[in-house]
Amino acid sequence: MTTTASREPAIDLLSPESFAHGQPHEQFRWLRSHDPVHWHPEPDGPGFWAVTRYSDVKAVGRDPATFSSAPTIMIPDGDGAIDAGDHQMMITMDPPRHTTHRKLVSGEFIPRAAKAMRPRIQELAARIIDGVIDRGECDLVGDIAGLMPSYVIADLLGIPLEDGVALYGLTETIHAAPESQPPGAAMGAVLEMFNYARGVWERKREHPARDLATSIAFAAVDGRQLDLIDFNLFFLLLIDAGGDTTRNLVAAGLDALFRHPEQMSWLREDCDGRLATAVEELLRWVSPVVYMRRTATRDASLGEAHITAGQKVVMYYGSANRDEEAFGPTADQLDLARSPNDHVAFGGGGPHFCLGAHIARVEIDALLRQVLSRLRHLEPSGPTEWLASTFISGPKHLPVRFEPGAGGASPGRSRFGGDSEADPRLS
């Protein structure tokens, strides 16, 4: 990276080039030491405060009265917000409205629900590896890491598994940097998602089932029945948030283990005893969600920065998770045995702490166990290509090879592209 004579890196947290190989930790490191609440210019906007220290990130996330999630959790004002009139996506709400909407779906994501889903998730993990093991090579992202969360959220919503995969592909377009794709691509993907969601809404209203989509289609908040727009926004959020952490943690986590073979060997020596701790460290190390934006509702101080009402305040989780003040002198080292490990990969607490954290951990555990135990002599077979996004961090493609083994049946085709398999339900 280009630096000045004082070794200050060029700070640009809006450029996809800064995230071309993962998160820009050289920039984050300098900011934490010299300007932890940094005023960052915005070419097509007013600018924002970049918050990079662990304690400050937690403080902002836990104070929704001062730092609001409305109008959007994305940095851009225009492109970052979906215009739905007087309707809001749950992630852009503040308490108490956020609390009432979160309760509509939270029962599906509590620890007890995640535990009940474990056998089904383990079955899906085995099925995913069955689908590639005879080939001896695959794209670890598209063929393995991306399938698990897409399958699980499809199960929860009561739609075909392969439709979940196709729908998650739309979210990549939604979050890609605008300059990396044709104009209007993101909004086109949103409209395609909404068109699909409308079909689900109509089917569930006509033929209710025991699934999350049906629950939302018939839900009411404060005596008001949710309408199609509410359903569409919920559907988009669940497809989007349901895939980011698992997909990018598994793919980027294995990329990190390839680069730290001693850590890979340590984990393989006792996978049963060490995987739970290793998953938490990989969450800290990867930090799949780069940032969340808040907007100041009133004048406030954060460290030495004086924030004015209406200004954007952006929490950078990847930076917070490498903060030496929180994780000590080894903060910039991958240590799968790290304990305690109070990372903020799922947010730093507060009302918007990741709803799917418990299920994500079950998914990650099941998939990594399958990968590490069944794909013998696993290694990269080409360079890792990273997502062109400043919001989500993870590989887009990661080609790998391994020793072929006994294979199994692969999933059916998508409703988007032809025949699809019968919709398997959770018990």
Side-chain angles (χ1 to χ4, degrees), residues 102 109 241 245 289 345-358 360-361:
R102 186 175 171 112
F109 298 94
T245 298
V289 177
F346 290 118
H352 285 279
F353 184 81
C354 179
L355 186 63
H358 302 296
R361 286 187 169 101

Side-chain angles (χ1 to χ4, degrees), residues 25 27-36 52-54 318-320 322-324 332:
H25 288 293
Q27 295 184 45
F28 288 154
R29 190 179 304 113
W30 189 92
L31 288 171
R32 286 194 304 272
S33 296
H34 298 89
D35 194 9
T52 52
R53 282 185 181 166
Y54 180 91
S319 177
R322 300 286 182 96
D323 189 342
E324 298 83 354
D332 214 25

Side-chain angles (χ1 to χ4, degrees), residues 288-352:
V289 177
V290 176
Y291 75 79
M292 285 285 172
R293 167 191 158 180
R294 300 292 184 258
T295 302
T297 62
R298 55 196 177 203
D299 293 353
S301 294
L302 193 63
E304 297 181 0
H306 299 290
I307 298 167
T308 301
Q311 289 183 327
K312 307 175 190 182
V313 180
V314 181
M315 301 171 287
Y316 280 95
Y317 300 118
S319 177
N321 277 334
R322 300 286 182 96
D323 189 342
E324 298 83 354
E325 292 185 5
F327 297 98
T330 63
D332 214 25
Q333 298 175 23
L334 180 66
D335 177 9
L336 298 185
R338 186 182 302 275
S339 182
N341 193 342
D342 188 21
H343 61 76
V344 293
F346 290 118
H352 285 279

Side-chain angles (χ1 to χ4, degrees), residues 125-320:
R127 177 180 176 173
I128 289 166
I129 300 305
D130 286 346
V132 301
I133 198 168
D134 281 339
R135 290 158 47 183
E137 62 180 6
C138 69
D139 181 346
L140 197 144
V141 182
D143 295 328
I144 296 178
L147 295 184
M148 170 63 82
S150 298
Y151 284 175
V152 171
I153 198 64
D155 255 359
L156 284 169
L157 289 168
I159 62 176
L161 300 186
E162 290 300 301
D163 284 12
V165 177
L167 290 166
Y168 184 78
L170 295 178
T171 71
E172 285 193 342
T173 302
I174 293 168
H175 291 311
E179 57 267 41
S180 70
Q181 55 190 0
M187 186 51 64
V190 170
L191 293 176
E192 187 174 351
M193 181 83 73
F194 284 174
N195 285 335
Y196 182 90
R198 179 179 186 134
V200 176
W201 158 272
E202 292 172 347
R203 289 194 300 275
K204 299 303 180 183
R205 295 282 297 182
E206 185 175 355
H207 303 290
R210 292 179 57 196
D211 54 47
L212 186 54
T214 298
S215 297
I216 299 170
F218 286 91
V221 174
D222 297 331
R224 184 185 72 84
Q225 177 74 42
L226 298 192
D227 61 19
L228 175 60
I229 298 176
D230 294 312
F231 182 87
N232 285 349
L233 293 173
F234 251 121
F235 191 90
L236 173 58
L237 177 61
L238 290 167
I239 292 291
D240 193 354
D244 288 337
T245 298
T246 298
R247 173 192 173 105
N248 294 305
L249 187 283
V250 171
L254 284 164
D255 178 78
L257 293 177
F258 292 147
R259 299 173 189 276
H260 297 82
E262 77 290 347
Q263 293 287 296
M264 174 82 90
S265 297
W266 178 87
L267 178 56
R268 286 183 182 275
E269 288 171 4
D270 181 12
C271 193
D272 286 341
R274 295 172 176 175
L275 185 56
T277 302
V279 167
E280 298 307 313
E281 175 66 351
L282 290 173
L283 284 163
R284 183 191 75 90
W285 187 259
V286 173
S287 296
V289 177
V290 176
Y291 75 79
M292 285 285 172
R293 167 191 158 180
R294 300 292 184 258
T295 302
T297 62
R298 55 196 177 203
D299 293 353
S301 294
L302 193 63
E304 297 181 0
H306 299 290
I307 298 167
T308 301
Q311 289 183 327
K312 307 175 190 182
V313 180
V314 181
M315 301 171 287
Y316 280 95
Y317 300 118
S319 177

